[in-house]
């Protein structure tokens, strides 16, 4: 709630009309201070831990497989959400959300891709695969993967 208010003030002060740009600012407001800044501070204190974040390249076939699995997973989760929403609506819970705005051009499409796909993916990979997985690996690789 507090973050939404601050993002709203920033957007109002800058006079931003584009909904995609508002979403980008909102994502940056969340990921930079709450994921990026703690990781950056940790690496400044302990630079020897930088390899633990695993900034390794990914092969094109692995990237394609990951994208395919993500699409299949999203379709599956979407069906589960739909099945879960039916009983909730019967109980009187309003499950309607405003739709994601459609981009008006290439620039807005790029902003939407950056804010919805790139920023969360980069920061979540650094946090979960890098910092958290490395911390749990001390207990064994299998346990780390399960946690």
């Amino acid at each position: 709630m507090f973050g939404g208010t601050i993002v709203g003030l920033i957007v109002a002060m800058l006079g931003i009309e584009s909904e995609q740009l508002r979403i980008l600012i909102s994502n940056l407001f969340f990921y930079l201070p709450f994921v990026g800044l703690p990781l950056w501070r940790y690496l400044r204190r302990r630079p020897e831990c930088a390899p633990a974040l695993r900034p390794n390249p990914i092969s094109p076939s692995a990237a394609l497989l990951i994208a395919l699995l993500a699409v299949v997973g999203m379709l599956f989760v979407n069906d589960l959400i739909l099945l879960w929403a039916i009983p909730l609506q019967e109980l009187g819970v309003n499950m309607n959300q405003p739709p994601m705005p459609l981009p008006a051009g290439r620039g807005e499409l790029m902003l939407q891709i950056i804010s919805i796909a790139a920023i969360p993916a980069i920061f979540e990979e650094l946090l979960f695969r890098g910092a958290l997985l490395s911390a749990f690996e001390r207990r064994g690789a299998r346990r780390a993967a399960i946690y």
Side-chain angles (χ1 to χ4, degrees), residues 44-138:
R44 287 219 32 199
R45 289 184 184 172
R46 299 183 63 189
E48 71 276 4
C49 294
L53 293 181
R54 305 167 194 249
N56 300 328
I58 186 170
S59 70
S61 60
L64 185 62
L65 181 62
I66 290 168
L68 180 65
L69 288 173
V71 168
V72 171
M74 285 302 298
L75 292 173
F76 178 72
V77 168
N78 196 20
D79 288 343
L80 285 178
I81 290 171
L82 180 64
L83 290 174
W84 184 246
I86 293 170
L88 287 176
Q89 284 183 343
E90 290 297 321
L91 292 172
V93 178
N94 185 8
M95 297 297 290
N96 294 331
Q97 293 184 355
M100 179 67 70
L102 295 176
R106 288 183 183 171
E108 286 191 2
L109 178 63
M110 289 308 297
L111 284 175
Q112 199 167 29
I113 289 171
I114 290 169
S115 65
I116 294 173
I119 292 172
I122 291 167
F123 283 105
E124 288 176 12
E125 279 295 311
L126 287 174
L127 178 66
F128 293 112
R129 188 177 69 136
L132 291 179
L133 184 63
S134 296
F136 281 117
E137 275 183 336
R138 294 182 196 130

